[in-house]
Amino acid sequence: MAPLPRGPRRAPSPGRLRRTLLAALVTAAVAVPVAGAARPADVPAPAPAPVAPLASATSAELAARYTAARTAVRAAERSADAYGARKRAASLHAMAAPGRQFLSFDGRDGGRAAEVVGDLAAADRIAVLVPGADTDLDRYGRFRAGAVALHDALPGRPGARAAVVAWLGYRTPATGSTASLTPGRADQAAPALRAFVDELRRAKPGARITLLCHSYGSAVCGRAAADLPADALVLYGSPGTGSDTVADLHTRAAVWAGRGAADWIGDVPHVRLPLLPGSELGFGEDPLAAGFGARTFDAGDGGHSDYLVPGSVPLENIARIVDGREPHHA
C-alpha cells in the first residue's frame, strides 16, 4: 500500500517555540553558574580616582590619562594579591607594564578598562572593540591579543595612522547564562559605550571611528547605535542586535555583518520573545539575513573566536572596513 501523501509541514506554534527556548534558558542558567564557583566579579578593588573627559587627544593629555590609569591598575593588583586572587593579580601585573596605554581603568565588578593600541594622538582611523561573553580582567589577555592583531593588520600609508581601543566597558555575561540570552546587560552597557564614543569623537573630530561588535557585544552596539557618532558598525559572530532591521538601529553608520562557517552562533534561534514585563529572550533578526539590511563580508571558515586571528580572512576584511575600504564579500 502506497504511503499517504504528506501535507505541508507546519511550523511550530509561537507558544511551543517559546516553551522550548525557555526550557533551554532555564537549563543553561542552572548549569553554567555551577561550573564556575569563583566569580571574577567578587575580587575586590579600590575605586579609581576620577578623571576629566578628554578635551583633546594631544600627546600630553593622553600621557596624563595613561599615567592615572596605570596607578589604578597597580592599586587593583595589590588588592587582588592581598585577597589571594592570584590569576587576577597576574593579569593586572601584565596590564601595568611599561608601554601599556589605558584611557580608563576600574578593577571593581569584574573590571572595566579601555586600552589603546597604537598612537591615538596621531590616528585618523580608530577601531573600538566591543567584546562579547566571558571577557573580564582574568581573561583580558585574549581580548587584547585581538586588538594587537587588528592593529598589526591595518595598512600603513604615508600620512595615515590607526589606533585600536579595546573597550571592556561593561560586565559581560557568561556564555549560556541567563544574562547571555537576554538584553539586560546590553541595556546597562549601552550608555557607557555611547558616552565613550561621544568623548572619542570630541577629542578626535576628524577621525574615522569604527565599532567592532563581537557576539553579545553586537547587542551592546545595537542598543547604543541610535545617533552614535561612528562611521561604521561591524557585527561578527552576532546573535542579533535587538532590532529587526538596520533602519531600526537609527544609525548613520554603515552596518556590516559577517559570520564564520564554523561559528556555532549561526545555530542560535533569531527570535525575540517576551518574558517578564519589560524583559525578553533573544535578539531578533539575524544580521546576515537579507531582510536585516546589513552589508555582508566574507568571514572565512573559522569558529566563534577566530575573527581576529592573525592572517585570517575575517581579520583582513575587518581591517579593510576600519580603513574605509571595501571588504571581500561572501
Side-chain angles (χ1 to χ4, degrees), residues 45-46 48 66-80 88-89 91-97 100 102 104-107 112-113 137:
Y66 298 157
T67 298
R70 183 173 293 108
T71 298
V73 174
R74 287 173 174 160
E77 179 191 352
R78 292 192 293 271
S79 180
R88 173 68 57 84
S91 179
L92 293 171
H93 185 76
M95 293 169 75
R100 299 287 288 268
F102 286 89
S104 61
F105 176 83
D106 187 338
R112 310 286 188 271
L137 295 182

Side-chain angles (χ1 to χ4, degrees), residues 34-78:
V34 171
R39 297 187 305 165
D42 292 337
V43 180
V51 293
L54 282 175
S56 62
T58 63
S59 296
E61 187 168 355
L62 289 171
R65 285 286 288 267
Y66 298 157
T67 298
R70 183 173 293 108
T71 298
V73 174
R74 287 173 174 160
E77 179 191 352
R78 292 192 293 271

Side-chain angles (χ1 to χ4, degrees), residues 4-213:
L4 294 174
R6 303 176 103 181
R9 184 178 180 182
R10 291 189 301 172
S13 67
R16 181 180 176 186
L17 178 60
R18 184 171 183 268
R19 288 192 297 271
T20 300
L21 289 174
L22 284 173
L25 171 64
V26 171
T27 300
V30 171
V32 173
V34 171
R39 297 187 305 165
D42 292 337
V43 180
V51 293
L54 282 175
S56 62
T58 63
S59 296
E61 187 168 355
L62 289 171
R65 285 286 288 267
Y66 298 157
T67 298
R70 183 173 293 108
T71 298
V73 174
R74 287 173 174 160
E77 179 191 352
R78 292 192 293 271
S79 180
D81 190 58
Y83 184 72
R86 301 289 180 251
K87 184 175 182 180
R88 173 68 57 84
S91 179
L92 293 171
H93 185 76
M95 293 169 75
R100 299 287 288 268
Q101 304 176 142
F102 286 89
L103 285 171
S104 61
F105 176 83
D106 187 338
R108 299 171 295 176
D109 191 35
R112 310 286 188 271
E115 182 176 10
V116 176
V117 179
D119 185 354
L120 184 59
D124 62 357
R125 296 157 294 153
I126 303 170
V128 179
L129 298 186
V130 182
D134 300 324
T135 306
D136 54 39
L137 295 182
D138 288 353
R139 294 166 283 198
Y140 183 81
R142 66 183 185 186
F143 181 44
R144 181 180 188 266
V148 172
L150 175 61
H151 184 264
D152 291 347
L154 288 165
R157 300 195 308 270
R161 295 184 182 179
V164 178
V165 182
W167 183 82
L168 176 56
Y170 74 111
R171 183 177 172 185
T172 66
T175 297
S177 66
T178 305
S180 73
L181 304 176
T182 57
R185 296 280 177 91
D187 289 333
Q188 296 167 9
L193 178 59
R194 189 177 295 113
F196 180 76
V197 177
D198 284 343
E199 180 182 5
L200 204 55
R201 175 58 73 197
R202 288 191 298 269
K204 298 288 297 184
R208 172 181 170 82
I209 298 177
T210 302
L211 267 62
L212 306 181
C213 316

